[in-house]
Amino acid sequence: MKKTLIILILIISCNLMAQKVPFDLNLTGNPFYNSIRAASIDVDNPNNQPIIFTVRVANQSNRKVDEAYMSFTLKWNGNIIINKSISSFKDYSLNVLNNTSSPLIFTNRDIINDNGSQYLSAATPSISLNDFLNNPHFKSAIMNTGLFPDGVYEFIMQIKSSNNPNSTPLSNEAIYVMNIHNVSNIVLITPGVQAGQPIPNISQRPVVYSWSANISNPANPYIFEIREFAQESSININNIANSGRLFYQETKTSPIFNENLEYIENNYYAWRVSVPLTTDQSQFGGTPMRHSPWYIYKFVSSTTNIPSPYANLMPQLEALQSPVVNQLINQFFVPTGTFYHDNNKINASQALTIIQQILNSQSHVIEIID
């Protein structure tokens, strides 16, 4: 009985403590962006800003306040960029806050704003791009690219009873987390060559397509695309995307494609990889995409054997079952007779022995350097 009484007292005490905070604060927004331009944080013209987060404040008690202040902190990868900047709620907002029937809703445009808005006064200290540049690493990234750097951004907000950041809280502390992952160029590896160069013949089945990019998240699927041309003269290298016919297209999450397709003998195939991006312009109707260059090859059922004094190495190289090595062989690349191991020059016989050791090993990694 005594133990039960103590538990009841604790529950009542917790409820009383919860009731001391009259407002429920909630932050929502897009948790992922590929890029946000530094120039998009326009404190003079806040409507040019993307809506990064939305703030919702609900009065869940009968308590009314005569004044209230929003405390705003921004962290990047755990480093404080803006620390407890304070904005006072204007009369309009106070009237809504003191009304339990509907919540007060506003966005980052009302906080990151040099002149204040109908909801909040201008922040003290003011929030500007200079505040974002206080951290030297953050500043360096922005100055080099004009974009907010990769990382985890934490927007931390709480309603306070006075303009002192350490004053009594009137709401819970709410945190909105946003990730930025800028996308660099998409590099095609094989098959073919970049449009404008002499077109090689490819006969491998299946044709293995591979590429590389600094993307490894479901927010950025690869759009893999192949276009077909009956003659080389019909390839408009300045407008491949709108010439020929669409031969194949697929959305992928891994940087490789090796399915058997119905290629036509002596036809030409151009392929590229694109990635849809989420940026600060996406909300304004933009559909930004990052495209690789186009690579082209001619499909033939077999290639002419090219004699080589080191032809006995070719079956061993093919036995490695490396897509990249096989594509090089099909593009007429052959051993030159210059072999190195651990930066030491070796002869063909030694190279053959090393390849055989690789074939006999449990696992191996192949890197094409030159």
Side-chain angles (χ1 to χ4, degrees), residues 140-175:
S140 175
I142 287 183
M143 299 299 285
N144 287 336
T145 65
L147 303 172
F148 280 86
D150 287 2
V152 179
Y153 293 73
E154 295 176 83
F155 298 85
I156 304 168
M157 299 172 63
Q158 189 170 35
I159 301 173
K160 298 287 187 174
S161 58
S162 78
N163 58 6
N164 182 342
N166 297 317
S167 62
T168 304
L170 295 177
S171 77
N172 57 296
E173 182 180 81
I175 301 176

PDB file of all heavy atoms in Angstrom, residues 140-175:
ATOM      1  N   SER A 140      34.334  28.054 -44.928  1.00  0.00           N
ATOM      2  CA  SER A 140      35.199  27.610 -46.017  1.00  0.00           C
ATOM      3  C   SER A 140      34.403  26.850 -47.068  1.00  0.00           C
ATOM      4  O   SER A 140      34.586  27.055 -48.271  1.00  0.00           O
ATOM      5  CB  SER A 140      36.325  26.733 -45.459  1.00  0.00           C
ATOM      6  OG  SER A 140      37.111  26.200 -46.497  1.00  0.00           O
ATOM      7  N   ALA A 141      33.499  25.974 -46.601  1.00  0.00           N
ATOM      8  CA  ALA A 141      32.695  25.173 -47.533  1.00  0.00           C
ATOM      9  C   ALA A 141      31.785  26.071 -48.370  1.00  0.00           C
ATOM     10  O   ALA A 141      31.655  25.887 -49.584  1.00  0.00           O
ATOM     11  CB  ALA A 141      31.881  24.143 -46.765  1.00  0.00           C
ATOM     12  N   ILE A 142      31.154  27.048 -47.734  1.00  0.00           N
ATOM     13  CA  ILE A 142      30.243  27.935 -48.458  1.00  0.00           C
ATOM     14  C   ILE A 142      31.008  28.809 -49.444  1.00  0.00           C
ATOM     15  O   ILE A 142      30.588  29.002 -50.588  1.00  0.00           O
ATOM     16  CB  ILE A 142      29.438  28.809 -47.473  1.00  0.00           C
ATOM     17  CG1 ILE A 142      28.381  27.956 -46.757  1.00  0.00           C
ATOM     18  CG2 ILE A 142      28.760  29.965 -48.200  1.00  0.00           C
ATOM     19  CD1 ILE A 142      27.498  28.732 -45.823  1.00  0.00           C
ATOM     20  N   MET A 143      32.155  29.345 -49.014  1.00  0.00           N
ATOM     21  CA  MET A 143      32.925  30.226 -49.888  1.00  0.00           C
ATOM     22  C   MET A 143      33.453  29.484 -51.104  1.00  0.00           C
ATOM     23  O   MET A 143      33.597  30.054 -52.183  1.00  0.00           O
ATOM     24  CB  MET A 143      34.091  30.843 -49.109  1.00  0.00           C
ATOM     25  CG  MET A 143      33.665  31.698 -47.926  1.00  0.00           C
ATOM     26  SD  MET A 143      32.644  33.120 -48.372  1.00  0.00           S
ATOM     27  CE  MET A 143      33.878  34.211 -49.069  1.00  0.00           C
ATOM     28  N   ASN A 144      33.746  28.195 -50.953  1.00  0.00           N
ATOM     29  CA  ASN A 144      34.299  27.417 -52.062  1.00  0.00           C
ATOM     30  C   ASN A 144      33.236  27.006 -53.066  1.00  0.00           C
ATOM     31  O   ASN A 144      33.517  26.924 -54.267  1.00  0.00           O
ATOM     32  CB  ASN A 144      35.008  26.164 -51.531  1.00  0.00           C
ATOM     33  CG  ASN A 144      36.320  26.488 -50.854  1.00  0.00           C
ATOM     34  OD1 ASN A 144      36.934  27.514 -51.126  1.00  0.00           O
ATOM     35  ND2 ASN A 144      36.757  25.617 -49.955  1.00  0.00           N
ATOM     36  N   THR A 145      32.048  26.705 -52.600  1.00  0.00           N
ATOM     37  CA  THR A 145      31.030  26.138 -53.493  1.00  0.00           C
ATOM     38  C   THR A 145      29.768  26.994 -53.617  1.00  0.00           C
ATOM     39  O   THR A 145      28.997  26.805 -54.554  1.00  0.00           O
ATOM     40  CB  THR A 145      30.611  24.739 -53.003  1.00  0.00           C
ATOM     41  OG1 THR A 145      29.970  24.860 -51.720  1.00  0.00           O
ATOM     42  CG2 THR A 145      31.822  23.831 -52.861  1.00  0.00           C
ATOM     43  N   GLY A 146      29.522  27.884 -52.661  1.00  0.00           N
ATOM     44  CA  GLY A 146      28.264  28.630 -52.647  1.00  0.00           C
ATOM     45  C   GLY A 146      27.108  27.819 -52.113  1.00  0.00           C
ATOM     46  O   GLY A 146      25.959  28.268 -52.141  1.00  0.00           O
ATOM     47  N   LEU A 147      27.404  26.612 -51.606  1.00  0.00           N
ATOM     48  CA  LEU A 147      26.368  25.710 -51.105  1.00  0.00           C
ATOM     49  C   LEU A 147      26.602  25.413 -49.630  1.00  0.00           C
ATOM     50  O   LEU A 147      27.746  25.424 -49.161  1.00  0.00           O
ATOM     51  CB  LEU A 147      26.388  24.391 -51.883  1.00  0.00           C
ATOM     52  CG  LEU A 147      26.222  24.473 -53.397  1.00  0.00           C
ATOM     53  CD1 LEU A 147      26.473  23.106 -54.022  1.00  0.00           C
ATOM     54  CD2 LEU A 147      24.834  24.971 -53.769  1.00  0.00           C
ATOM     55  N   PHE A 148      25.530  25.131 -48.915  1.00  0.00           N
ATOM     56  CA  PHE A 148      25.684  24.656 -47.546  1.00  0.00           C
ATOM     57  C   PHE A 148      26.361  23.287 -47.595  1.00  0.00           C
ATOM     58  O   PHE A 148      26.020  22.442 -48.423  1.00  0.00           O
ATOM     59  CB  PHE A 148      24.328  24.557 -46.857  1.00  0.00           C
ATOM     60  CG  PHE A 148      23.815  25.882 -46.361  1.00  0.00           C
ATOM     61  CD1 PHE A 148      23.102  26.732 -47.189  1.00  0.00           C
ATOM     62  CD2 PHE A 148      24.070  26.284 -45.067  1.00  0.00           C
ATOM     63  CE1 PHE A 148      22.651  27.953 -46.743  1.00  0.00           C
ATOM     64  CE2 PHE A 148      23.614  27.506 -44.599  1.00  0.00           C
ATOM     65  CZ  PHE A 148      22.908  28.347 -45.441  1.00  0.00           C
ATOM     66  N   PRO A 149      27.342  23.059 -46.735  1.00  0.00           N
ATOM     67  CA  PRO A 149      28.120  21.819 -46.809  1.00  0.00           C
ATOM     68  C   PRO A 149      27.333  20.600 -46.354  1.00  0.00           C
ATOM     69  O   PRO A 149      26.327  20.708 -45.657  1.00  0.00           O
ATOM     70  CB  PRO A 149      29.304  22.094 -45.876  1.00  0.00           C
ATOM     71  CG  PRO A 149      28.788  23.101 -44.898  1.00  0.00           C
ATOM     72  CD  PRO A 149      27.833  23.959 -45.679  1.00  0.00           C
ATOM     73  N   ASP A 150      27.834  19.428 -46.745  1.00  0.00           N
ATOM     74  CA  ASP A 150      27.238  18.169 -46.303  1.00  0.00           C
ATOM     75  C   ASP A 150      27.222  18.086 -44.782  1.00  0.00           C
ATOM     76  O   ASP A 150      28.099  18.623 -44.110  1.00  0.00           O
ATOM     77  CB  ASP A 150      28.056  16.977 -46.823  1.00  0.00           C
ATOM     78  CG  ASP A 150      27.865  16.760 -48.318  1.00  0.00           C
ATOM     79  OD1 ASP A 150      27.133  17.542 -48.938  1.00  0.00           O
ATOM     80  OD2 ASP A 150      28.452  15.808 -48.853  1.00  0.00           O
ATOM     81  N   GLY A 151      26.230  17.402 -44.263  1.00  0.00           N
ATOM     82  CA  GLY A 151      26.213  17.178 -42.833  1.00  0.00           C
ATOM     83  C   GLY A 151      24.815  17.145 -42.261  1.00  0.00           C
ATOM     84  O   GLY A 151      23.811  17.201 -42.976  1.00  0.00           O
ATOM     85  N   VAL A 152      24.765  17.061 -40.926  1.00  0.00           N
ATOM     86  CA  VAL A 152      23.512  16.997 -40.171  1.00  0.00           C
ATOM     87  C   VAL A 152      23.248  18.364 -39.560  1.00  0.00           C
ATOM     88  O   VAL A 152      24.084  18.899 -38.821  1.00  0.00           O
ATOM     89  CB  VAL A 152      23.588  15.920 -39.072  1.00  0.00           C
ATOM     90  CG1 VAL A 152      22.285  15.884 -38.278  1.00  0.00           C
ATOM     91  CG2 VAL A 152      23.880  14.553 -39.680  1.00  0.00           C
ATOM     92  N   TYR A 153      22.090  18.928 -39.863  1.00  0.00           N
ATOM     93  CA  TYR A 153      21.683  20.232 -39.353  1.00  0.00           C
ATOM     94  C   TYR A 153      20.572  20.032 -38.325  1.00  0.00           C
ATOM     95  O   TYR A 153      19.570  19.384 -38.613  1.00  0.00           O
ATOM     96  CB  TYR A 153      21.180  21.123 -40.490  1.00  0.00           C
ATOM     97  CG  TYR A 153      22.259  21.531 -41.476  1.00  0.00           C
ATOM     98  CD1 TYR A 153      22.774  20.606 -42.391  1.00  0.00           C
ATOM     99  CD2 TYR A 153      22.774  22.824 -41.490  1.00  0.00           C
ATOM    100  CE1 TYR A 153      23.774  20.965 -43.288  1.00  0.00           C
ATOM    101  CE2 TYR A 153      23.764  23.193 -42.391  1.00  0.00           C
ATOM    102  CZ  TYR A 153      24.256  22.255 -43.282  1.00  0.00           C
ATOM    103  OH  TYR A 153      25.247  22.619 -44.163  1.00  0.00           O
ATOM    104  N   GLU A 154      20.768  20.605 -37.146  1.00  0.00           N
ATOM    105  CA  GLU A 154      19.765  20.515 -36.084  1.00  0.00           C
ATOM    106  C   GLU A 154      19.215  21.915 -35.789  1.00  0.00           C
ATOM    107  O   GLU A 154      19.964  22.808 -35.402  1.00  0.00           O
ATOM    108  CB  GLU A 154      20.378  19.940 -34.813  1.00  0.00           C
ATOM    109  CG  GLU A 154      20.847  18.514 -34.923  1.00  0.00           C
ATOM    110  CD  GLU A 154      21.531  18.064 -33.641  1.00  0.00           C
ATOM    111  OE1 GLU A 154      20.821  17.658 -32.703  1.00  0.00           O
ATOM    112  OE2 GLU A 154      22.772  18.149 -33.586  1.00  0.00           O
ATOM    113  N   PHE A 155      17.923  22.085 -35.999  1.00  0.00           N
ATOM    114  CA  PHE A 155      17.235  23.320 -35.655  1.00  0.00           C
ATOM    115  C   PHE A 155      16.548  23.082 -34.310  1.00  0.00           C
ATOM    116  O   PHE A 155      15.647  22.241 -34.209  1.00  0.00           O
ATOM    117  CB  PHE A 155      16.224  23.691 -36.729  1.00  0.00           C
ATOM    118  CG  PHE A 155      16.833  23.946 -38.079  1.00  0.00           C
ATOM    119  CD1 PHE A 155      17.084  22.898 -38.965  1.00  0.00           C
ATOM    120  CD2 PHE A 155      17.177  25.235 -38.461  1.00  0.00           C
ATOM    121  CE1 PHE A 155      17.648  23.123 -40.198  1.00  0.00           C
ATOM    122  CE2 PHE A 155      17.742  25.482 -39.714  1.00  0.00           C
ATOM    123  CZ  PHE A 155      17.981  24.426 -40.578  1.00  0.00           C
ATOM    124  N   ILE A 156      16.979  23.818 -33.290  1.00  0.00           N
ATOM    125  CA  ILE A 156      16.504  23.597 -31.918  1.00  0.00           C
ATOM    126  C   ILE A 156      15.748  24.837 -31.478  1.00  0.00           C
ATOM    127  O   ILE A 156      16.286  25.948 -31.489  1.00  0.00           O
ATOM    128  CB  ILE A 156      17.693  23.329 -30.971  1.00  0.00           C
ATOM    129  CG1 ILE A 156      18.520  22.148 -31.496  1.00  0.00           C
ATOM    130  CG2 ILE A 156      17.194  23.054 -29.556  1.00  0.00           C
ATOM    131  CD1 ILE A 156      19.860  21.995 -30.814  1.00  0.00           C
ATOM    132  N   MET A 157      14.496  24.651 -31.059  1.00  0.00           N
ATOM    133  CA  MET A 157      13.660  25.800 -30.710  1.00  0.00           C
ATOM    134  C   MET A 157      12.900  25.531 -29.415  1.00  0.00           C
ATOM    135  O   MET A 157      12.580  24.387 -29.084  1.00  0.00           O
ATOM    136  CB  MET A 157      12.692  26.117 -31.856  1.00  0.00           C
ATOM    137  CG  MET A 157      13.410  26.481 -33.154  1.00  0.00           C
ATOM    138  SD  MET A 157      12.322  26.636 -34.586  1.00  0.00           S
ATOM    139  CE  MET A 157      11.303  28.003 -34.063  1.00  0.00           C
ATOM    140  N   GLN A 158      12.629  26.622 -28.703  1.00  0.00           N
ATOM    141  CA  GLN A 158      11.851  26.541 -27.467  1.00  0.00           C
ATOM    142  C   GLN A 158      11.261  27.915 -27.170  1.00  0.00           C
ATOM    143  O   GLN A 158      11.906  28.946 -27.409  1.00  0.00           O
ATOM    144  CB  GLN A 158      12.726  26.080 -26.302  1.00  0.00           C
ATOM    145  CG  GLN A 158      11.943  25.753 -25.031  1.00  0.00           C
ATOM    146  CD  GLN A 158      12.801  25.086 -23.980  1.00  0.00           C
ATOM    147  OE1 GLN A 158      13.989  25.391 -23.839  1.00  0.00           O
ATOM    148  NE2 GLN A 158      12.218  24.155 -23.220  1.00  0.00           N
ATOM    149  N   ILE A 159      10.036  27.925 -26.656  1.00  0.00           N
ATOM    150  CA  ILE A 159       9.394  29.189 -26.277  1.00  0.00           C
ATOM    151  C   ILE A 159       9.809  29.536 -24.853  1.00  0.00           C
ATOM    152  O   ILE A 159       9.760  28.693 -23.956  1.00  0.00           O
ATOM    153  CB  ILE A 159       7.865  29.089 -26.398  1.00  0.00           C
ATOM    154  CG1 ILE A 159       7.473  28.741 -27.835  1.00  0.00           C
ATOM    155  CG2 ILE A 159       7.200  30.403 -25.992  1.00  0.00           C
ATOM    156  CD1 ILE A 159       6.002  28.469 -28.019  1.00  0.00           C
ATOM    157  N   LYS A 160      10.215  30.802 -24.660  1.00  0.00           N
ATOM    158  CA  LYS A 160      10.688  31.271 -23.362  1.00  0.00           C
ATOM    159  C   LYS A 160       9.764  32.365 -22.830  1.00  0.00           C
ATOM    160  O   LYS A 160       9.019  33.010 -23.568  1.00  0.00           O
ATOM    161  CB  LYS A 160      12.115  31.812 -23.489  1.00  0.00           C
ATOM    162  CG  LYS A 160      13.150  30.771 -23.937  1.00  0.00           C
ATOM    163  CD  LYS A 160      13.451  29.791 -22.824  1.00  0.00           C
ATOM    164  CE  LYS A 160      14.598  28.867 -23.176  1.00  0.00           C
ATOM    165  NZ  LYS A 160      14.987  28.011 -22.053  1.00  0.00           N
ATOM    166  N   SER A 161       9.873  32.597 -21.515  1.00  0.00           N
ATOM    167  CA  SER A 161       8.996  33.577 -20.870  1.00  0.00           C
ATOM    168  C   SER A 161       9.548  34.992 -20.956  1.00  0.00           C
ATOM    169  O   SER A 161       8.825  35.967 -20.698  1.00  0.00           O
ATOM    170  CB  SER A 161       8.782  33.199 -19.398  1.00  0.00           C
ATOM    171  OG  SER A 161      10.038  33.133 -18.722  1.00  0.00           O
ATOM    172  N   SER A 162      10.832  35.152 -21.268  1.00  0.00           N
ATOM    173  CA  SER A 162      11.425  36.496 -21.407  1.00  0.00           C
ATOM    174  C   SER A 162      12.501  36.444 -22.485  1.00  0.00           C
ATOM    175  O   SER A 162      12.783  35.387 -23.050  1.00  0.00           O
ATOM    176  CB  SER A 162      12.024  36.964 -20.079  1.00  0.00           C
ATOM    177  OG  SER A 162      13.273  36.343 -19.835  1.00  0.00           O
ATOM    178  N   ASN A 163      13.116  37.601 -22.737  1.00  0.00           N
ATOM    179  CA  ASN A 163      14.143  37.654 -23.768  1.00  0.00           C
ATOM    180  C   ASN A 163      15.499  37.142 -23.287  1.00  0.00           C
ATOM    181  O   ASN A 163      16.503  37.251 -23.988  1.00  0.00           O
ATOM    182  CB  ASN A 163      14.278  39.065 -24.341  1.00  0.00           C
ATOM    183  CG  ASN A 163      14.617  40.085 -23.260  1.00  0.00           C
ATOM    184  OD1 ASN A 163      14.855  39.732 -22.101  1.00  0.00           O
ATOM    185  ND2 ASN A 163      14.624  41.359 -23.635  1.00  0.00           N
ATOM    186  N   ASN A 164      15.533  36.598 -22.102  1.00  0.00           N
ATOM    187  CA  ASN A 164      16.730  35.934 -21.602  1.00  0.00           C
ATOM    188  C   ASN A 164      16.669  34.469 -22.038  1.00  0.00           C
ATOM    189  O   ASN A 164      15.735  33.751 -21.669  1.00  0.00           O
ATOM    190  CB  ASN A 164      16.801  36.038 -20.079  1.00  0.00           C
ATOM    191  CG  ASN A 164      18.056  35.413 -19.505  1.00  0.00           C
ATOM    192  OD1 ASN A 164      18.717  34.616 -20.158  1.00  0.00           O
ATOM    193  ND2 ASN A 164      18.390  35.776 -18.279  1.00  0.00           N
ATOM    194  N   PRO A 165      17.653  34.003 -22.813  1.00  0.00           N
ATOM    195  CA  PRO A 165      17.596  32.612 -23.292  1.00  0.00           C
ATOM    196  C   PRO A 165      17.511  31.577 -22.185  1.00  0.00           C
ATOM    197  O   PRO A 165      17.052  30.451 -22.416  1.00  0.00           O
ATOM    198  CB  PRO A 165      18.911  32.456 -24.070  1.00  0.00           C
ATOM    199  CG  PRO A 165      19.310  33.848 -24.432  1.00  0.00           C
ATOM    200  CD  PRO A 165      18.833  34.722 -23.310  1.00  0.00           C
ATOM    201  N   ASN A 166      17.920  31.962 -20.976  1.00  0.00           N
ATOM    202  CA  ASN A 166      17.900  31.024 -19.846  1.00  0.00           C
ATOM    203  C   ASN A 166      16.661  31.175 -18.968  1.00  0.00           C
ATOM    204  O   ASN A 166      16.606  30.621 -17.870  1.00  0.00           O
ATOM    205  CB  ASN A 166      19.164  31.213 -19.003  1.00  0.00           C
ATOM    206  CG  ASN A 166      20.430  30.894 -19.778  1.00  0.00           C
ATOM    207  OD1 ASN A 166      20.488  29.909 -20.508  1.00  0.00           O
ATOM    208  ND2 ASN A 166      21.441  31.753 -19.658  1.00  0.00           N
ATOM    209  N   SER A 167      15.691  31.943 -19.442  1.00  0.00           N
ATOM    210  CA  SER A 167      14.471  32.158 -18.646  1.00  0.00           C
ATOM    211  C   SER A 167      13.595  30.916 -18.650  1.00  0.00           C
ATOM    212  O   SER A 167      13.861  29.933 -19.347  1.00  0.00           O
ATOM    213  CB  SER A 167      13.699  33.357 -19.200  1.00  0.00           C
ATOM    214  OG  SER A 167      13.292  33.108 -20.538  1.00  0.00           O
ATOM    215  N   THR A 168      12.523  30.963 -17.899  1.00  0.00           N
ATOM    216  CA  THR A 168      11.622  29.811 -17.742  1.00  0.00           C
ATOM    217  C   THR A 168      11.022  29.406 -19.088  1.00  0.00           C
ATOM    218  O   THR A 168      10.497  30.251 -19.829  1.00  0.00           O
ATOM    219  CB  THR A 168      10.486  30.163 -16.764  1.00  0.00           C
ATOM    220  OG1 THR A 168      11.052  30.586 -15.531  1.00  0.00           O
ATOM    221  CG2 THR A 168       9.570  28.975 -16.552  1.00  0.00           C
ATOM    222  N   PRO A 169      11.079  28.131 -19.439  1.00  0.00           N
ATOM    223  CA  PRO A 169      10.476  27.683 -20.701  1.00  0.00           C
ATOM    224  C   PRO A 169       8.953  27.670 -20.629  1.00  0.00           C
ATOM    225  O   PRO A 169       8.375  27.339 -19.594  1.00  0.00           O
ATOM    226  CB  PRO A 169      11.036  26.273 -20.888  1.00  0.00           C
ATOM    227  CG  PRO A 169      11.389  25.808 -19.517  1.00  0.00           C
ATOM    228  CD  PRO A 169      11.801  27.033 -18.755  1.00  0.00           C
ATOM    229  N   LEU A 170       8.328  28.028 -21.732  1.00  0.00           N
ATOM    230  CA  LEU A 170       6.872  27.964 -21.852  1.00  0.00           C
ATOM    231  C   LEU A 170       6.437  26.811 -22.768  1.00  0.00           C
ATOM    232  O   LEU A 170       5.240  26.623 -22.992  1.00  0.00           O
ATOM    233  CB  LEU A 170       6.328  29.282 -22.397  1.00  0.00           C
ATOM    234  CG  LEU A 170       6.518  30.523 -21.510  1.00  0.00           C
ATOM    235  CD1 LEU A 170       5.990  31.761 -22.217  1.00  0.00           C
ATOM    236  CD2 LEU A 170       5.831  30.328 -20.162  1.00  0.00           C
ATOM    237  N   SER A 171       7.415  26.085 -23.306  1.00  0.00           N
ATOM    238  CA  SER A 171       7.094  24.952 -24.176  1.00  0.00           C
ATOM    239  C   SER A 171       8.182  23.897 -24.033  1.00  0.00           C
ATOM    240  O   SER A 171       9.221  24.130 -23.398  1.00  0.00           O
ATOM    241  CB  SER A 171       7.020  25.395 -25.644  1.00  0.00           C
ATOM    242  OG  SER A 171       8.322  25.572 -26.171  1.00  0.00           O
ATOM    243  N   ASN A 172       7.932  22.770 -24.625  1.00  0.00           N
ATOM    244  CA  ASN A 172       8.967  21.744 -24.743  1.00  0.00           C
ATOM    245  C   ASN A 172      10.050  22.235 -25.712  1.00  0.00           C
ATOM    246  O   ASN A 172       9.836  23.172 -26.490  1.00  0.00           O
ATOM    247  CB  ASN A 172       8.364  20.447 -25.272  1.00  0.00           C
ATOM    248  CG  ASN A 172       7.657  20.657 -26.611  1.00  0.00           C
ATOM    249  OD1 ASN A 172       6.653  21.388 -26.691  1.00  0.00           O
ATOM    250  ND2 ASN A 172       8.176  20.056 -27.659  1.00  0.00           N
ATOM    251  N   GLU A 173      11.218  21.613 -25.677  1.00  0.00           N
ATOM    252  CA  GLU A 173      12.263  21.898 -26.654  1.00  0.00           C
ATOM    253  C   GLU A 173      12.032  20.998 -27.863  1.00  0.00           C
ATOM    254  O   GLU A 173      11.953  19.778 -27.730  1.00  0.00           O
ATOM    255  CB  GLU A 173      13.646  21.637 -26.065  1.00  0.00           C
ATOM    256  CG  GLU A 173      14.791  21.967 -27.015  1.00  0.00           C
ATOM    257  CD  GLU A 173      16.155  21.705 -26.400  1.00  0.00           C
ATOM    258  OE1 GLU A 173      16.566  20.519 -26.400  1.00  0.00           O
ATOM    259  OE2 GLU A 173      16.794  22.662 -25.920  1.00  0.00           O
ATOM    260  N   ALA A 174      11.905  21.602 -29.038  1.00  0.00           N
ATOM    261  CA  ALA A 174      11.649  20.840 -30.265  1.00  0.00           C
ATOM    262  C   ALA A 174      12.880  20.881 -31.162  1.00  0.00           C
ATOM    263  O   ALA A 174      13.548  21.906 -31.261  1.00  0.00           O
ATOM    264  CB  ALA A 174      10.444  21.412 -31.006  1.00  0.00           C
ATOM    265  N   ILE A 175      13.163  19.755 -31.803  1.00  0.00           N
ATOM    266  CA  ILE A 175      14.335  19.653 -32.663  1.00  0.00           C
ATOM    267  C   ILE A 175      13.908  19.096 -34.024  1.00  0.00           C
ATOM    268  O   ILE A 175      13.213  18.086 -34.107  1.00  0.00           O
ATOM    269  CB  ILE A 175      15.414  18.733 -32.047  1.00  0.00           C
ATOM    270  CG1 ILE A 175      15.851  19.253 -30.678  1.00  0.00           C
ATOM    271  CG2 ILE A 175      16.621  18.619 -32.979  1.00  0.00           C
ATOM    272  CD1 ILE A 175      16.842  18.345 -29.962  1.00  0.00           C
TER     273      ILE A 175
END
